[in-house]
Amino acid sequence: EEEDQEVLASHMREGQRCEVRTSLGAKRGLVRVVGQDLEGLPAGWFVGVEYDEPVGKNDGSINGARHFECGMGYGAFVRPSFVSVGEDFVPFEDEFSDFSEEDEL
């Protein structure tokens, strides 16, 4: 399990677009930090994500340890197995930028 998390984390870089799979559906944002045994978190690998919308749990800090800066409610720390990276993960509203009012009746 931990080796799998490390392999997944090795493909993630700060600044990449990402999608996080949760029980409530997908959330999109930017990878802000990738690390093992980050201060304030349980042991193991975590990905710090800044979401596009305020659907997170923090502001890039957890238990008094700051790992990145973002608005309150935009940050989260998740295990790499829940994160996919790629340029396809544009903000959700951008997916429909060519969708006009006339396209939906």
Side-chain angles (χ1 to χ4, degrees):
E1 163 84 14
E2 191 61 28
E3 287 180 13
D4 294 340
Q5 297 290 334
E6 182 176 5
V7 169
L8 292 169
S10 72
H11 299 284
M12 299 176 192
R13 300 283 178 268
E14 183 179 334
Q16 284 182 304
R17 294 289 309 163
C18 68
E19 183 171 271
V20 178
R21 294 173 305 286
T22 73
S23 59
L24 301 175
K27 302 175 182 181
R28 291 186 179 174
L30 286 175
V31 172
R32 295 295 307 272
V33 66
V34 180
Q36 183 179 26
D37 301 333
L38 295 172
E39 184 182 348
L41 291 164
W45 287 89
F46 278 90
V47 180
V49 175
E50 180 179 357
Y51 290 123
D52 296 330
E53 299 173 357
V55 293
K57 299 190 181 259
N58 58 55
D59 64 352
S61 65
I62 189 158
N63 296 325
R66 175 155 308 280
H67 296 283
F68 62 92
E69 302 232 1
C70 68
M72 180 52 81
Y74 284 82
F77 295 91
V78 294
R79 297 287 187 180
S81 57
F82 294 101
V83 181
S84 297
V85 294
E87 294 307 310
D88 293 341
F89 299 124
V90 297
F92 282 117
E93 63 271 9
D94 288 355
E95 284 188 338
F96 303 107
S97 60
D98 59 352
F99 188 83
S100 74
E101 292 292 321
E102 297 165 2
D103 291 324
E104 182 178 36
L105 303 175

